[in-house]
Amino acid sequence: MTESRSTGAATARVKRGDLAVETSALVRATVTVVDGPDLGLAFPLGKRTITVGKGRDCDVVLTDSAVSKKHVELTLVGNSVRVRDLGSTNGTWIGKTKVIESLVPAGSVVIAGRSRLHLRAEDTSEMLSPSESDHFGELWGMSVSMRQVFAVLERTAGKDVSIFVDGETGTGKELVARAIHSRGGRSRGPFIVLDCSAVAPELVESQLFGHRRGAFTGAMQDRPGVFESARGGTLFLDELDSLPKDLQPKLLRVIETRTVTRLGEFEPRPIDVRLVAASGRSPEEAVSRSELRRDLYFRLAVVRITLPSLRDRLEDLPLLTKKLLEAIGHNSVIPAEGPALDRLRQHPWLGNVRELRNVLERGLLLAPPGATALEQLPLRLSPIMGDEPRTQRGPGSLPPVEFGLPYKEAKEAAVSAFEREYLKAALARNGANLSKTARDVGLTRHHLRKLLRQHRLIANRSK
């Protein structure tokens, strides 16, 4: 049995069978084609040696004509990968270095023909046992998914490495960055946040790198950018995929050289920061849409943390509700079961923990004097979240708006609700056939599958 991926005129294949069985419990790395004819093809790398080439007897068959029949051999060795060239015509390269046989760290890019293969360690959460703690910083949860996140944070917060955090809006990405800062060796330094989506495009470069007086109209005095302001501390770049494409190479150069040059100056200044970056959607999607450079993402994602949505960890609702009410300044006894919690569990929580906090704050404001129990709070949930009977909306109608959220979160929730309903209807109309649905809605099958996984309309694994 093989798994195929269409690449236009040809088809790339990853052989399954023994490969899948052997690596199912051992897989610690993934190899992804990040450039070349088979862009997007990914396969696991476990204990068994994997051969890559265009020959049909290879474990991974590429369609790249510049790749030899048997081109390169990959073997996982601890946290590194042994790369061995198999006498290929065009050679195997790591950067500008031709490789015969070499042990390279995870995160390296192997060049074979016109193809670039990124060696990525699997999410650390899959390698570590869940933490025994129910919190890390201001993040709380008893679910396995959150305790796996805590395990990664416990292991990496004290190490001065770059971390990439992704997850839906309201899941707590900034809380992750703050927790990393407070538990790391830079806790006495500043914690600086730059929301790349909230700065006017013409001002982003100045915000990042700083400027000299007179560098542009309105630059009345010298001003440091966030890299200089965060010296000795942590810089959190939120919504990184919103950063203008022309600035991303400049940001990558700053990260790699550890220097920054203000606008209007020529002399670079040294920087000393720890970087945490975040995106509200999967970085793979942002890369596939050319909104985030692959090399920038790979450089920042030394460790990647994906935060689960609240609807995927409903067992955390009692603990979260208790801790959020305490943070608001209201101590309540929160039962493990009850009508109020049942009602909260039925809510899809498109705004996640941030929305839960808003619901609880609103409930406290509207509660009768002396109310202490959760059952006494008027927990008003938005119709978009399923609090009222659902009705079939006609073509062109829009989902209701959640006015209790800030503009940005309300917009994202409305768009997400539209996407989910639209895709559900399209799937039903086409009998759950992905190819037919993709043609019907005008998307590639690959893009459609990503959206369906994102909205949990299909299982989040290879099909």
Side-chain angles (χ1 to χ4, degrees):
M1 176 179 166
T2 62
E3 180 182 87
S4 300
R5 179 185 183 275
S6 175
T7 56
T11 300
R13 299 183 304 136
V14 178
K15 293 187 177 181
R16 310 306 278 175
D18 292 341
L19 174 59
V21 171
E22 182 177 343
T23 61
S24 61
L26 298 171
V27 62
R28 295 294 179 90
T30 297
V31 182
T32 305
V33 180
V34 296
D35 201 6
D38 306 309
L39 176 67
L41 178 71
F43 55 93
L45 187 61
K47 184 177 180 181
R48 178 171 170 256
T49 296
I50 302 301
T51 57
V52 181
K54 65 182 180 184
R56 298 203 171 268
D57 56 344
C58 289
D59 297 300
V60 178
V61 183
L62 301 180
T63 61
D64 185 352
S65 60
V67 167
S68 298
K69 287 188 176 179
K70 281 193 174 181
H71 196 109
V72 64
E73 192 176 79
L74 305 173
T75 310
L76 186 66
V77 181
N79 293 324
S80 303
V81 178
R82 178 175 289 115
V83 179
R84 186 168 77 90
D85 184 78
L86 299 177
S88 64
T89 301
N90 294 319
T92 300
W93 302 77
I94 304 290
K96 295 183 179 180
T97 304
K98 191 173 183 179
V99 172
I100 303 300
E101 183 170 350
S102 179
L103 197 64
V104 302
S108 301
V109 175
V110 177
I111 303 172
R114 295 192 302 274
S115 300
R116 295 166 65 88
L117 314 178
H118 179 241
L119 314 177
R120 182 174 70 84
E122 284 294 304
D123 291 343
T124 314
S125 59
E126 296 179 12
M127 301 185 209
L128 302 177
S129 299
S131 170
E132 295 183 0
S133 177
D134 62 0
H135 72 284
F136 189 93
E138 297 180 65
L139 296 160
W140 291 86
M142 299 179 66
S143 60
V144 173
S145 59
M146 283 305 292
R147 289 190 294 112
Q148 285 179 325
V149 169
F150 299 158
V152 178
L153 291 171
E154 289 165 358
R155 183 70 65 89
T156 60
K159 296 179 172 63
D160 213 16
V161 297
S162 299
I163 293 181
F164 195 98
V165 188
D166 63 285
E168 295 179 7
T169 180
T171 48
K173 296 185 286 294
E174 185 171 337
L175 293 182
V176 169
R178 290 186 180 278
I180 289 169
H181 174 70
S182 63
R183 293 280 286 268
R186 296 174 175 267
S187 58
R188 294 185 179 180
F191 177 78
I192 303 295
V193 179
L194 178 65
D195 185 341
C196 298
S197 68
V199 183
E202 63 272 16
L203 298 177
V204 176
E205 188 170 7
S206 172
Q207 289 279 331
L208 278 170
F209 311 133
H211 64 255
R212 183 179 182 179
R213 178 182 177 183
F216 53 86
T217 303
M220 305 303 293
Q221 57 186 8
D222 292 353
R223 178 177 176 178
V226 290
F227 277 94
E228 290 183 75
S229 299
R231 179 172 295 166
T234 303
L235 173 58
F236 177 48
L237 297 176
D238 199 7
E239 303 292 348
L240 184 69
D241 52 322
S242 298
L243 190 68
K245 192 71 180 292
D246 62 324
L247 287 183
Q248 294 185 25
K250 297 180 182 180
L251 174 59
L252 178 61
R253 179 168 179 76
V254 168
I255 295 170
E256 291 184 335
T257 63
R258 311 301 291 181
T259 62
V260 65
T261 304
R262 293 183 183 182
L263 296 179
E265 293 187 348
F266 299 98
E267 289 298 320
R269 300 166 182 257
I271 59 171
D272 175 27
V273 300
R274 181 181 191 172
L275 279 170
V276 182
S279 170
R281 56 181 170 169
S282 76
E284 291 85 1
E285 180 186 352
V287 169
S288 69
R289 293 187 178 185
S290 298
E291 293 169 357
L292 178 64
R293 286 177 60 107
R294 289 189 196 92
D295 47 7
L296 177 58
Y297 165 62
F298 292 147
R299 184 64 183 81
L300 288 170
V302 177
V303 176
R304 177 180 172 184
I305 296 173
T306 300
L307 293 175
S309 63
L310 179 54
R311 57 187 171 276
D312 288 336
R313 56 180 187 110
L314 293 177
E315 62 266 47
D316 289 335
L317 267 174
L319 177 62
L320 282 172
T321 301
K322 180 177 185 297
K323 294 299 177 182
L324 287 171
L325 286 173
E326 287 177 356
I328 296 167
H330 182 89
N331 293 320
S332 298
V333 177
I334 309 298
E337 299 295 337
L341 278 172
D342 287 343
R343 189 158 170 252
L344 293 180
R345 288 191 183 98
Q346 294 170 17
H347 199 52
W349 298 112
L350 298 185
N352 290 291
V353 181
R354 183 184 290 119
E355 186 199 352
L356 174 61
R357 182 185 177 109
N358 288 347
V359 166
L360 295 174
E361 284 184 332
R362 188 162 58 237
L364 285 174
L365 287 172
L366 301 176
T372 57
L374 183 64
E375 304 292 345
Q376 297 174 288
L377 304 183
L379 303 177
R380 297 187 178 181
L381 309 179
S382 165
I384 193 174
M385 307 300 183
D387 192 45
E388 295 180 359
R390 296 168 60 98
T391 58
Q392 182 66 38
R393 293 188 283 270
S397 61
L398 297 174
V401 176
E402 170 54 88
F403 292 104
L405 293 174
Y407 169 79
K408 182 180 173 184
E409 283 74 30
K411 178 182 175 182
E412 289 178 353
V415 170
S416 181
F418 160 76
E419 280 188 352
R420 181 177 175 82
E421 293 303 313
Y422 181 89
L423 294 173
K424 279 178 65 178
L427 270 180
R429 186 167 64 246
N430 292 281
N433 184 299
L434 295 191
S435 296
K436 286 179 63 179
T437 303
R439 289 193 297 270
D440 184 29
V441 301
L443 297 172
T444 65
R445 194 173 188 273
H446 182 65
H447 187 197
L448 174 65
R449 187 187 291 112
K450 281 190 173 182
L451 288 174
L452 294 174
R453 286 175 179 165
Q454 179 181 323
H455 291 284
R456 291 169 177 78
L457 295 173
I458 61 173
N460 191 22
R461 61 178 183 272
S462 297
K463 287 285 185 182

